[in-house]
Amino acid sequence: MSDEPRGGFTRRDLVRGSVVGAIAASVGTKAGAAGTAAIGPGAAPLELTVNGAVHRLSVEPRVTLVDALRERIGLTGTKVVCGRGACGACTVLVDGKTVCSCLVLAHEAAGKSITTIEGVATDGRLSPIQEAFIAADALQCGFCTSGMVLSCKALLDREPKPSRQAIREAVSGNLCRCGTYNHVFDAVERAAGLKTAVSTATAPVLVGARLTADRSRLVENDPRVAQAIREAMEQEG
Amino acid sequence: MTDKIRVGFNGEFEVKEIAVAPGDPVPWDPSRTYSVLGTRVPRLDGKAKTTGEAKYSIDVRLPGMLYARILRCPLAAATVTSVDLSAARKMPGVRAALAIAEPGEKIRFAGQEVAAVAAATPEQADDALGAIRVAYAARPFVVGLEAARKADAPLVFDGKAETKTSAGDVESGGKGLARNGNVLGPRSTVKGNVEDGFKKAAAVVEATYVTQVQTHTALETHGLVARWEGEELTVWASTQGIFVMRDELAETLELPVSKVRVITEYMGGGFGAKFGPRIEGVTAARLAKAAGAPVKLFLDRKEEQLATGNRPSSVQTVKAGATKDGKLTALQLTVYGNGGTNGGTGTSGPIKNIYACENLKVDEYDVFTNAGPSTAMRAPGHPQGAFALEATMDELARALGIDPLEFRLRNDPSAVRREEFRIGAEKIGWAGRDTRRRTPDPWIRRGVGVGAAVWYNTGDTGPRATVTIHRDGSAEVEHGVQDLGTGSRTMVAIVAAEELGIPLEKVSVSIGDSRMPFAPDSGGSATTPGSAPTIRRAAFQARKELARAIAREWKVPPESVAVEGGRISAPGDPKHDVSWAEACKLLPSQGVAATAERAENHEDAWKRFTTGAQFAEVEVDTATGKVRVERVVAVHDCGVPINPLATESQIQGGVIQGVSYALFEDRVLDGPTGRMVNPNVESYKIAGALDVPEIDVTLVSVWDGINNTNSVGIGEPATVPTAAAIANAVSHAVGARIRQLPITPEVVLAAVREADEHAKGGRA
């Protein structure tokens, strides 16, 4: 699902011991002339631009972007599920593109513009995709939701009216265990103005009325049915 | 006090007389309209979860907090001979280290816990693990159920079967059961006489069905953050049962229950595996004590897949007979289940409780192997049991020349489920299923299959809740329930708003803290039927308190004051008819409040199981063996759904987990080493966005009057019949029986070959 090519030296497991030096040499930062300064193996200073704010940290080269976000900066909306780029839970936008932040070293992200789930709403106002997720109940436990929302946002940013298949593909790298997928597809269509079928109005519903022939859902919003039941019952005594 | 209520479903109701407990409201019944109950309410924590503001236990960060990691044994069976922590303790940042397995202790699966460290950063904790020196004496081990059943198999337990269990596990001790090598059992159930039943049958079928080990794979891993303040322990845990977590921590750490507090504000899924603290939770608390600092210990994905529980495998032999006119005469199940180092692997729920049959015999055996222990997983035993039973029903129907759906209808004692079958059949297009089998592409076949669900109304006494009505007309509910992602938080608000007669926005909900009134563990689909009647009772009593307070102000008898539909009134004086808000202004500054405990279920209520029926339509590529589930129709009894939006979501989830179980998931162990080779989410595959079918959910409201909200849980029944329906659909498509899960291309191609051979032999 990542739009970024998966580089050879971004796996956390590889970034240990003797490999550190080799990687450090390949990571360009603002700290020195590009390609010349080695970082680490100890902690090294770093500036990360997250949701428009600059954070100054000092972390070892092996610290992943997601660990820097969660455990150092305290932006815990980004989640870790697999730690190896297979589930999409840690999806963030780096320069507008979705990446798995567990596959990126914090030092690699220096100088880039990072957007996390905390940066999707503006001035406390939810974005249309967030509103749509809530309305379509596209979340259950919510643990995949941050990554899902960002993958969907990235899709809508590049393709404002996506097909159902395009939506499926856009979130095909985001695993959900509660089973929200169909509602996620609905949410994207809703945010894109393609669909408003899922009714979430809090209008009165008569629960338990006769199933309708066409939808077999509960008969909603029909006090006449309640009246009919009451009358039938009164006749029964 | 007895009361008359209406019970029934699908628009047809009868009058029942029930005894309502003192202080409990009369059950909601279908002769009233409701303003909040049953409306589609977007969940109250939707904003928190879509903005990243929701703080899961794994997100908790405390000043000075350390990070802990567990060292696990790489061997499938061993005896620990020494654990040396001295070098690890000297590693940078390390503040505490402890042995979990002491010398002499037995290791019974690859991944079992051995030692743990806590350090200032996650990376330092990782490094310190590498400095722990453990010596083991390797022992022989056994991988797989069939190998473990052999007489000369290495014994998983050479003495009494004992494992470190936590709440939610099924103990492997098997009190009073015979043990023969690695095999424990049978647990037997006998009804009537199956031999007589088989004699009466016009057709008898018998076959063996095999299912795999499934791991829960909740996205948030197991773990907790532990903080000591003197002798008081507070933990932020990822748990389905904050009260059982509290009690087990208190017991294990020898603390008064009153000194342990468990908080679970948000939780990233459980599916049955997250109740007690388990080894990692107790370890976190011990490390925090030793280090004198808060400790976060959450497992990584590999550990989660290895060691935190699973749905056991099964080998089920089912024999069934029926008369010429399609009445079951005998059902027999013999099942062996592999729960690794745990037992409780039975699968008999469906065969005992779905179809009516006078003669039944069940024998269930647990087989111990050197593998991670099983634990409760969403409808324990039922998806595997339903798979074998429903395949058998199809085979028997075929042997009798009766339509498989018709055969089920003739044997289903539940009027609700028979209706569910009929609704589902119409929606899936059951009548045309044979004509859809062949497609323009000769390689592509389509199939339609069906399966039935059963679950049990398990809401019980014990839960408590407090409802407070404030002077400004707002209300507050406190109830220590955890919300696993099912929408419990929203459910609590809906019930309170409905009972008080005020808008949802006026209700605030506090949940997820063991310092709040007791709430049920979220197991057995019992959260809603445990909590909802409790909330309603507390709200009902708070409403009575409001009436009493207003009566004092108005100087009228309390029983003359009515609180209905957002208005408070008393007869006699036109001024005694005011809005909710005006009435609440008359309250003292502390408002009014009531704490209530859930009433017993009504004894004389209509006893029944929770039912469901699912239909699946699949497309099978007979050249590649690939199965695509195109559509699932899920029709479920959900009592009276409090929030149909969340109910439908949970059924969607049950179906999708069922699709995943049917087609993909399979824990794979390496024979030579006994290690799990796919402890991750790229080679242990769970269903993704490209795999999910269109899912059509229908809720059948059943007003049963068993509790005051007619509520039942839907989490488990929703996943019981999905794999069964899919397997039957694939069998229908290819023309040969699927007897194994997951239905991989290999399994499909074997069935296609079998069908081809039958066709050549002229027995198509």
Side-chain angles (χ1 to χ4, degrees):
Chain A
M1 64 108 250
S2 164
D3 289 336
E4 296 286 284
R6 290 170 187 182
F9 290 114
T10 48
R11 275 276 305 280
R12 186 179 179 182
D13 287 356
L14 295 178
V15 192
R16 283 183 187 155
S18 62
V19 190
V20 171
I23 291 174
S26 74
V27 175
T29 75
K30 290 177 180 173
T36 58
I39 302 171
L46 164 71
E47 278 187 12
L48 284 181
T49 306
V50 187
N51 305 326
V54 176
H55 298 267
R56 289 179 183 82
L57 316 174
S58 177
V59 299
E60 294 174 34
R62 61 174 163 171
V63 172
T64 58
L65 176 57
V66 69
D67 279 351
L69 291 170
R70 285 179 51 82
E71 306 296 342
R72 270 71 174 192
I73 298 175
L75 290 171
T76 55
T78 307
K79 300 293 187 261
V80 179
V81 168
C82 74
R84 47 205 275 167
C87 72
C90 65
T91 301
V92 300
L93 304 184
V94 175
D95 291 340
K97 290 187 173 173
T98 54
V99 298
C100 287
S101 57
C102 75
L103 294 184
V104 178
L105 297 172
H107 281 277
E108 283 184 304
K112 297 179 178 169
S113 168
I114 301 157
T115 304
T116 69
I117 189 66
E118 290 91 345
V120 176
T122 41
D123 305 325
R125 243 193 13 261
L126 296 182
S127 69
I129 188 63
Q130 288 168 312
E131 298 271 15
F133 261 64
I134 298 168
D137 206 36
L139 63 153
Q140 292 183 40
C141 85
F143 215 73
C144 73
T145 306
S146 301
M148 283 281 187
V149 167
L150 284 160
S151 289
C152 294
K153 175 181 156 51
L155 169 68
L156 290 172
D157 286 350
R158 62 176 187 264
E159 204 177 330
K161 304 280 176 196
S163 67
R164 191 89 168 175
Q165 184 60 21
I167 300 167
R168 278 180 183 261
E169 284 168 15
V171 296
S172 63
N174 292 84
L175 291 178
C176 166
R177 189 53 159 167
C178 299
T180 58
Y181 298 115
N182 286 318
H183 287 180
V184 169
F185 310 153
D186 291 344
V188 177
E189 290 180 349
R190 177 187 274 263
L194 297 167
K195 188 180 180 183
T196 51
V198 183
S199 160
T200 51
T202 53
V205 170
L206 174 77
V207 192
R210 189 179 290 277
L211 300 165
T212 56
D214 55 343
R215 288 173 69 227
S216 294
R217 291 195 188 247
L218 304 173
V219 176
E220 296 183 19
N221 238 342
D222 194 350
R224 290 168 303 176
V225 181
Q227 185 57 35
I229 291 174
R230 275 197 295 272
E231 284 167 8
M233 286 179 166
E234 279 156 18
Q235 282 171 14
E236 283 169 25
Chain B
M1 175 181 117
T2 61
D3 248 286
K4 283 183 176 173
I5 58 162
R6 319 283 171 172
V7 297
F9 73 102
N10 201 21
E12 288 173 20
F13 303 100
E14 54 181 290
V15 177
K16 277 270 178 185
E17 202 163 279
I18 56 162
V20 175
D24 210 42
V26 176
W28 281 326
D29 89 359
S31 61
R32 281 181 47 194
T33 44
Y34 298 90
S35 54
V36 193
L37 179 77
T39 60
R40 303 170 67 82
V41 180
R43 55 190 77 209
L44 301 182
D45 48 22
K47 181 166 182 282
K49 287 179 176 176
T50 53
T51 55
E53 285 162 20
K55 288 287 176 212
Y56 295 74
S57 296
I58 203 171
D59 299 333
V60 168
R61 296 163 78 235
L62 301 174
M65 185 180 81
L66 308 175
Y67 296 83
R69 296 275 282 143
I70 291 177
L71 182 74
R72 290 168 189 275
C73 179
L75 304 173
T79 303
V80 176
T81 53
S82 69
V83 181
D84 180 1
L85 300 166
S86 55
R89 287 203 168 100
K90 290 179 196 135
M91 292 289 286
V94 171
R95 296 273 301 277
L98 57 81
I100 297 170
E102 300 292 342
E105 235 174 277
K106 297 266 170 61
I107 298 295
R108 294 194 168 87
F109 70 94
Q112 195 172 319
E113 303 84 354
V114 175
V117 295
T121 70
E123 295 79 20
Q124 288 171 333
D126 275 346
D127 290 347
L129 282 191
I132 300 174
R133 295 285 167 258
V134 186
Y136 303 99
R139 294 188 300 120
F141 57 87
V142 61
V143 175
L145 184 148
E146 295 301 342
R149 282 177 65 186
K150 291 192 176 131
D152 60 347
L155 290 176
V156 177
F157 296 100
D158 37 16
K160 188 174 173 291
E162 270 180 40
T163 53
K164 293 175 181 175
T165 56
S166 192
D169 290 353
V170 182
E171 278 195 50
S172 56
K175 293 168 197 78
L177 293 181
R179 201 167 109 226
N180 183 8
N182 290 315
V183 181
L184 183 76
R187 281 182 300 277
S188 297
T189 308
V190 176
K191 196 173 75 176
N193 184 321
V194 284
E195 294 312 322
D196 289 352
F198 289 126
K199 276 181 209 142
K200 283 182 207 150
V204 173
V205 297
E206 181 173 8
T208 298
Y209 299 87
V210 177
T211 66
Q212 76 279 37
V213 172
Q214 180 185 26
T215 59
H216 299 69
T217 321
L219 295 193
E220 186 183 30
T221 57
H222 282 67
L224 52 79
V225 176
R227 182 185 69 192
W228 292 88
E229 288 161 305
E231 289 305 305
E232 289 201 29
L233 174 66
T234 301
V235 304
W236 288 261
S238 184
T239 178
Q240 298 173 231
I242 63 174
F243 291 94
V244 73
M245 171 71 83
R246 176 195 67 181
D247 293 353
E248 248 185 66
L249 280 170
E251 194 184 333
T252 312
L253 300 168
E254 298 181 346
L255 294 168
V257 171
S258 60
K259 299 292 184 194
V260 181
R261 180 179 183 188
V262 179
I263 299 168
T264 304
E265 203 182 341
Y266 291 95
M267 197 215 165
F271 311 112
K274 289 181 180 167
F275 288 97
R278 301 171 26 91
I279 290 166
E280 60 275 3
V282 173
T283 301
R286 290 199 164 126
L287 286 168
K289 186 86 178 168
V295 164
K296 177 189 273 195
L297 199 172
F298 274 83
L299 305 187
D300 68 16
R301 180 52 47 188
K302 182 177 177 182
E303 298 176 286
E304 182 74 13
Q305 302 301 97
L306 279 179
T308 63
N310 52 66
R311 182 189 298 286
S313 73
S314 72
V315 177
Q316 305 173 70
T317 301
V318 184
K319 186 176 177 185
T323 59
K324 194 156 52 65
D325 60 350
K327 282 282 183 190
L328 285 169
T329 57
L331 286 172
Q332 185 171 2
L333 165 70
T334 305
V335 52
Y336 292 84
N338 170 11
T341 57
N342 257 353
T345 64
T347 63
S348 62
I351 205 166
K352 285 179 186 165
N353 299 314
I354 295 180
Y355 301 109
C357 185
E358 286 174 2
N359 304 301
L360 173 80
K361 185 165 192 301
V362 172
D363 293 295
E364 298 173 286
Y365 299 86
D366 296 328
V367 182
F368 298 119
T369 65
N370 291 106
S374 66
T375 192
M377 182 165 182
R378 202 170 188 171
H382 282 65
Q384 52 271 55
F387 163 61
L389 173 67
E390 295 293 1
T392 304
M393 292 298 283
D394 269 18
E395 296 236 295
L396 198 47
R398 184 187 164 91
L400 293 163
I402 301 174
D403 174 83
L405 183 62
E406 174 58 28
F407 181 52
R408 285 172 171 81
L409 291 171
R410 287 183 197 177
N411 289 287
D412 195 329
S414 162
V416 178
R417 192 168 41 226
R418 290 197 302 270
E419 182 63 21
E420 291 163 350
F421 274 132
R422 281 190 277 267
I423 293 165
E426 194 182 314
K427 294 191 138 205
I428 201 79
W430 181 267
R433 72 179 198 136
D434 285 332
T435 56
R436 296 206 296 282
R437 261 189 87 215
R438 291 189 185 278
T439 71
D441 183 335
W443 292 103
I444 305 292
R445 294 282 180 81
R446 302 180 72 80
V448 176
V450 63
V454 67
W455 199 248
Y456 318 99
N457 184 26
T458 48
D460 209 349
T461 52
R464 298 185 199 109
T466 300
V467 172
T468 305
I469 300 168
H470 294 293
R471 279 171 97 173
D472 65 354
S474 66
E476 206 177 313
V477 189
E478 287 172 278
H479 180 56
V481 74
Q482 54 288 322
D483 188 336
L484 283 56
T486 54
S488 306
R489 183 180 268 108
T490 312
M491 171 270 289
V492 167
I494 292 170
V495 173
E498 184 65 50
E499 178 59 29
L500 296 175
I502 59 176
L504 203 56
E505 302 74 52
K506 293 266 186 203
V507 180
S508 297
V509 173
S510 299
I511 62 165
D513 188 334
S514 65
R515 288 280 154 89
M516 293 170 185
F518 182 84
D521 299 332
S522 294
S525 300
T527 315
T528 296
S531 289
T534 315
I535 305 302
R536 186 173 172 219
R537 183 178 166 100
F540 172 78
Q541 292 183 7
R543 216 178 74 175
K544 296 271 179 223
E545 291 300 321
L546 175 65
R548 258 193 285 276
I550 302 303
R552 275 196 297 275
E553 290 294 322
W554 287 348
K555 300 184 172 48
V556 297
E559 60 276 10
S560 70
V561 176
V563 182
E564 291 291 346
R567 290 201 77 76
I568 287 79
S569 61
D573 186 337
K575 279 184 287 184
H576 293 168
D577 182 5
V578 299
S579 70
W580 172 274
E582 288 300 316
C584 289
K585 282 181 191 161
L586 302 175
L587 291 175
S589 61
Q590 71 272 25
V592 290
T595 296
E597 189 161 324
R598 189 190 186 281
E600 284 186 22
N601 292 326
H602 298 124
E603 280 174 42
D604 57 352
W606 177 28
K607 296 275 185 202
R608 59 137 178 99
F609 292 154
T610 307
T611 64
Q614 291 185 10
F615 292 75
E617 181 147 1
V618 301
E619 189 180 273
V620 181
D621 185 329
T622 59
T624 64
K626 187 172 163 54
V627 174
R628 172 156 178 78
V629 183
E630 304 248 296
R631 189 156 182 256
V632 171
V633 171
V635 189
H636 284 271
D637 155 17
C638 41
V640 173
I642 289 165
N643 183 2
L645 185 62
T647 308
E648 285 173 17
S649 280
Q650 221 183 343
I651 295 173
Q652 286 261 343
V655 169
I656 290 170
Q657 276 190 10
V659 170
S660 198
Y661 178 61
L663 299 185
F664 309 125
E665 298 184 40
D666 193 0
R667 182 190 70 182
V668 179
L669 296 182
D670 177 46
T673 62
R675 293 186 202 169
M676 183 176 177
V677 298
N678 55 349
N680 51 56
V681 292
E682 72 269 11
S683 55
Y684 181 93
K685 181 171 161 51
I686 66 171
L690 296 172
D691 306 311
V692 300
E694 181 196 322
I695 300 169
D696 182 330
V697 176
T698 300
L699 309 180
V700 176
S701 290
V702 178
W703 302 77
D704 60 21
I706 288 177
N707 62 55
N708 65 37
T709 55
N710 304 278
S711 52
V712 301
I714 194 65
E716 284 162 303
T719 205
V720 169
T722 314
I726 291 167
N728 285 347
V730 176
S731 300
H732 178 236
V734 303
R737 181 58 42 193
I738 297 295
R739 302 190 199 281
Q740 187 181 338
L741 299 181
I743 310 167
T744 58
E746 189 185 359
V747 170
V748 172
L749 292 177
V752 169
R753 275 194 296 278
E754 189 189 321
D756 286 349
E757 279 159 24
H758 278 216
K760 276 181 208 150
R763 289 178 291 146

